[in-house]
Amino acid sequence: MNNLLNSYFVKTHKLEISITIIAVVLFLIYFLGAPHVFTRFPIYRAFMQSMPFFGIIAISATFVVTLGEIDLSFPSIVGITSLIFGIIMTSTDGNFFIAFILATSLGMFAGLVNGLLVTKIGIPSIVATIGTLFFWRGLVNVISQGSGIAIVDVADGTWHHMIFVEKLFGKIPMQFIWFIVLTGLMQWVYRYHKFGNHIHFVGDNKASAQMMGINVDNVKIIAFVQLGFFSALAGIFTMYEMLYFWPTQGEGLMLTTLAAVFVGGTSVFGGKGTIFGTFIGVLIIGSLESGIVALGLSGFYVKFINGLMITVAVTVYALIQRRKN
Amino acid sequence: MVEELLKLQNIYKNFGNVKVLKDVNIKINKGEVVALIGDNGAGKSTLIKVITGVHSPNSGKVFFKEKEVQIKSVAQSRKMGIEAVYQERALCDQQELYRNIFAGREITNSFGFLDIKKQRKEAEKILRDYIGFTSKAITVDSQVMGLSGGEKQGVAFGRSLYFNSDLIVLDEPTMGLSIQETEKVLNFVKGLKNENKSAIFIDHNIIHVYGAADRFIILDRGEVVGEFNKEDISREELVQKMIQLHESGKIKVED
Ligand SMILES: Nc1ncnc2c1ncn2[C@@H]1O[C@H](COP(=O)(O)OP(=O)(O)OP(=O)(O)O)[C@@H](O)[C@H]1O
Ligand SMILES: [Mg+2]
């Protein structure tokens, strides 16, 4: 046992292990407190259906947070890219490729704007992305004039609808499969690709990273651009699930997404993080609402417990960090 | 025959309104160790950062191997054959040693994925052969955070040796080192000549500087105020010059 605790794996994966234990305990509480709900499949199907929409963004946002930056504009990037996706789908009679390419390109463009504001103009990311948060949502309102777009006629029953959100073997929502695949891929990039490596160095110490030959600005810009892309992708998934665009689309994502990243253990100071942790963070944050209600507490507790989780988690991680220094 | 490696011509560098380098002209030949000396804030580190691509000059020209170049990034200067140990050590605290050693020039496959095994193996070699770490507590997987100042220094130095270069820039490389380690660094600098390699050496200790360098360039408030070959000046005279400069702000140059 002692050997196990001192092993290299345990030492280097303290955060991942802690967060996994928290998740297991939480699900045990659900399980014991509401067995009639949690011993049956539908609740898990509901989780698999809803978690990927913010989960995909949370995984992607982990890169930006590891940089020591933040992006608050993604809810509005989801909005504007979904709008464009809806407009193009309906006006081209369901041309998926054009709609997909234009929507994700716009997402990347929005990310590029964030990246340039932060690196070339030098605006702190928290301020820059509050600006673009309002900007893109404002543009959604101006273009949509407050009305929604139905894509049922051009999307329902198509092959793209199938691969995005229909159920595999009639049980597993496709978006969850995508979410798992993307998580694995992003974890790989985060730890083992040059780009992921640079993200860690820039987040750790910008000046040192530059002296080591890393192009700090480019790394930051690419991080914002990929978040723009995945925000668009999350928007497209949501569109297929709902078959409808509404002008507030994406607005509810801010809290859950960032909560998942921080609860997952990615350092608010930059330089350290974990994609696996974010994934578990998504399972935790994404299950809280149904879990709390199933346990018989009123829905009014959801935000409260959410807030408690985040505050406690970041405090604990900050303390771990401080002890290390 | 004297072959020129690096030449800076009329280099100016400002940070905002502060003029940190003013009309700097220097030349480094192949197989030559040049010391940069001067008070705190004289602009020594800034000057070497212009050479390594950390800063770009506001004006002036840079020649490397007799060709005019614009060094826009550290990656570029490394590719040209310039290595550096910075005064700040340029390490990232929370990352593993093997990642620190290869940061910015990772060993990757053609898709950009790291060859972790190879990086760790090479890092192992650097730790053992170039740095001579004896502490068992330090491995290639250690984070920089736990290292002592001298150990950090050793990593930065070992890293710069591993990547073979024509010009090595050492900004206070002996700071925080024990007597034996300092001796090693100085011997390394002296040994460069035999390989026809060059170095720029910054150190506040005149004894170190005098022993290791062939030529001394004195910088004062961003300007080159004196330049001496070792044949032409004794150690005592060099010390005298520095004291004089410190007290009167001027140097008497008698040719
Ligand atoms: N990035 C920067 N931004 C603004 N000012 C800077 C910057 N880097 C250096 N300076 C200023 O430029 C001047 C020269 O600094 P520099 O580090 O080159 O001196 P130095 O000769 O290396 O001194 P020391 O011996 O203390 O290392 C100092 O006044 C310093 O404050
Ligand atoms: Mg200096």
Side-chain angles (χ1 to χ4, degrees):
Chain A
M1 188 65 193
N2 216 4
N3 234 344
L4 183 72
L5 282 179
N6 281 323
S7 79
Y8 178 69
F9 181 83
V10 172
K11 266 195 190 149
T12 51
H13 294 83
K14 275 194 190 124
L15 275 179
E16 285 88 345
I17 293 166
S18 326
I19 183 77
T20 309
I21 292 171
I22 294 171
V24 168
V25 169
L26 188 68
F27 274 83
L28 268 180
I29 294 173
Y30 295 156
F31 204 79
L32 298 175
H36 52 288
V37 177
F38 280 89
T39 50
R40 302 213 177 112
F41 185 66
I43 184 78
Y44 298 105
R45 188 176 52 216
F47 284 160
M48 287 191 276
Q49 216 158 347
S50 60
M51 284 175 183
F53 302 131
F54 77 96
I56 290 172
I57 306 177
I59 295 292
S60 171
T62 305
F63 283 74
V64 172
V65 174
T66 307
L67 277 176
E69 303 286 350
I70 193 84
D71 184 346
L72 302 178
S73 71
F74 64 84
S76 298
I77 299 181
V78 169
I80 189 72
T81 53
S82 298
L83 170 66
I84 295 303
F85 188 78
I87 289 177
I88 298 190
M89 282 291 276
T90 47
S91 63
T92 59
D93 198 23
N95 192 325
F96 165 75
F97 286 109
I98 296 182
F100 182 87
I101 286 170
L102 285 181
T104 51
S105 302
L106 179 63
M108 290 193 279
F109 174 74
L112 178 68
V113 171
N114 286 339
L116 291 176
L117 289 175
V118 171
T119 57
K120 303 300 177 193
I121 315 286
I123 306 170
S125 54
I126 188 162
V127 178
T129 57
I130 284 178
T132 50
L133 170 77
F134 279 98
F135 176 81
W136 293 115
R137 183 61 63 190
L139 199 61
V140 168
N141 293 339
V142 169
I143 296 175
S144 70
Q145 291 293 307
S147 39
I149 300 169
I151 61 164
V152 189
D153 299 339
V154 288
D156 204 13
T158 60
W159 63 268
H160 24 111
H161 184 261
M162 193 173 81
I163 63 163
F164 272 109
V165 295
E166 280 175 23
K167 311 278 183 297
L168 192 66
F169 313 122
K171 275 195 186 324
I172 318 261
M174 277 305 291
Q175 63 262 42
F176 192 69
I177 309 274
W178 283 113
F179 176 43
I180 300 278
V181 169
L182 284 174
T183 302
L185 203 78
M186 295 293 268
Q187 161 72 28
W188 203 33
V189 169
Y190 189 75
R191 285 307 292 166
Y192 302 119
H193 194 273
K194 205 160 79 174
F195 173 64
N197 201 46
H198 289 180
I199 289 274
H200 286 84
F201 276 86
V202 173
D204 192 316
N205 185 332
K206 216 167 69 172
S208 286
Q210 197 211 349
M211 286 185 244
M212 289 193 259
I214 295 170
N215 190 329
V216 172
D217 284 0
N218 282 4
V219 171
K220 287 192 180 185
I221 290 170
I222 296 170
F224 282 104
V225 168
Q226 62 85 31
L227 183 50
F229 172 85
F230 284 107
S231 303
L233 191 65
I236 294 171
F237 272 108
T238 315
M239 292 285 282
Y240 275 107
E241 180 72 27
M242 307 300 175
L243 294 172
Y244 197 78
F245 166 83
W246 67 102
T248 57
Q249 188 166 325
E251 267 180 7
L253 292 172
M254 181 92 79
L255 177 80
T256 45
T257 307
L258 293 178
V261 177
F262 289 127
V263 168
T266 294
S267 168
V268 283
F269 307 111
K272 256 302 181 252
T274 148
I275 297 287
F276 174 79
T278 299
F279 179 78
I280 301 291
V282 169
L283 299 188
I284 292 174
I285 299 295
S287 67
L288 274 184
E289 183 158 3
S290 323
I292 288 166
V293 173
L295 289 174
L297 291 170
S298 107
F300 295 124
Y301 280 91
V302 173
K303 264 204 178 133
F304 174 72
I305 293 179
N306 228 319
L308 203 66
M309 289 289 294
I310 302 168
T311 313
V312 170
V314 295
T315 307
V316 169
Y317 298 143
L319 288 177
I320 292 178
Q321 186 101 0
R322 195 156 63 181
R323 207 184 50 196
K324 263 198 195 159
N325 293 343
Chain B
M1 200 195 95
V2 189
E3 262 184 285
E4 171 188 309
L5 180 67
L6 175 82
K7 185 167 75 182
L8 302 188
Q9 224 171 47
N10 313 113
I11 296 290
Y12 285 81
K13 176 70 192 171
N14 314 330
F15 289 114
N17 292 328
V18 189
K19 297 189 171 79
V20 177
L21 296 176
K22 291 171 262 184
D23 198 20
V24 171
N25 294 282
I26 67 170
K27 210 170 97 177
I28 319 276
N29 294 322
K30 285 193 182 160
E32 189 184 35
V33 176
V34 173
L36 270 183
I37 43 186
D39 254 341
N40 295 119
K44 305 179 295 294
S45 298
T46 306
L47 180 58
I48 63 113
K49 283 179 183 167
V50 166
I51 296 170
T52 60
V54 175
H55 298 314
S56 36
N58 291 78
S59 68
K61 287 179 176 168
V62 180
F63 297 85
F64 195 72
K65 296 181 179 164
E66 305 196 339
K67 265 199 277 290
E68 187 175 352
V69 285
Q70 275 174 359
I71 306 176
K72 293 215 177 72
S73 68
V74 173
Q76 187 194 343
S77 81
R78 282 172 165 183
K79 229 173 263 155
M80 285 163 44
I82 301 174
E83 278 299 318
V85 175
Y86 296 97
Q87 192 171 1
E88 304 88 338
R89 301 315 166 224
L91 297 167
C92 283
D93 275 348
Q94 302 172 80
Q95 317 304 325
E96 296 94 333
L97 280 186
Y98 78 86
R99 285 183 187 258
N100 264 286
I101 285 170
F102 290 99
R105 49 183 151 193
E106 293 81 358
I107 306 176
T108 65
N109 66 17
S110 38
F111 299 105
F113 284 97
L114 309 184
D115 188 339
I116 299 277
K117 226 185 190 167
K118 188 148 179 221
Q119 282 199 4
R120 292 184 71 246
K121 208 179 101 206
E122 293 300 298
E124 199 96 53
K125 209 157 78 187
I126 294 170
L127 246 53
R128 217 181 34 234
D129 303 349
Y130 293 92
I131 308 177
F133 270 167
T134 44
S135 165
K136 281 272 183 307
I138 300 168
T139 71
V140 293
D141 298 308
S142 305
Q143 292 182 6
V144 169
M145 206 158 13
L147 269 57
S148 75
E151 287 165 342
K152 286 184 193 173
Q153 170 58 356
V155 173
F157 190 59
R159 174 173 65 184
S160 70
L161 299 194
Y162 171 80
F163 296 98
N164 224 337
S165 60
D166 297 322
L167 173 66
I168 183 162
V169 175
L170 302 165
D171 195 349
E172 307 201 17
T174 61
M175 197 172 57
L177 292 188
S178 67
I179 296 176
Q180 292 98 310
E181 294 301 315
T182 301
E183 207 55 42
K184 269 197 223 164
V185 171
L186 295 175
N187 282 335
F188 162 78
V189 176
K190 288 175 207 162
L192 285 170
K193 257 188 287 294
N194 305 330
E195 301 174 51
N196 203 28
K197 291 186 176 170
S198 317
I200 298 176
F201 181 54
I202 300 174
D203 202 313
H204 284 289
N205 185 327
I206 296 285
I207 301 175
H208 294 167
V209 168
Y210 194 82
D214 306 310
R215 197 148 51 87
F216 317 102
I217 295 175
I218 303 176
L219 214 55
D220 181 45
R221 280 160 286 180
E223 285 177 278
V224 175
V225 293
E227 195 170 338
F228 307 96
N229 290 322
K230 195 176 195 155
E231 309 82 275
D232 304 332
I233 191 168
S234 71
R235 194 170 86 193
E236 287 66 34
E237 285 170 321
L238 186 60
V239 172
Q240 227 29 63
K241 295 267 185 232
M242 294 308 293
I243 294 171
Q244 200 181 70
L245 174 69
H246 192 76
E247 283 172 353
S248 67
K250 275 202 291 283
I251 250 182
K252 273 208 256 70
V253 186
E254 59 263 59
D255 294 77

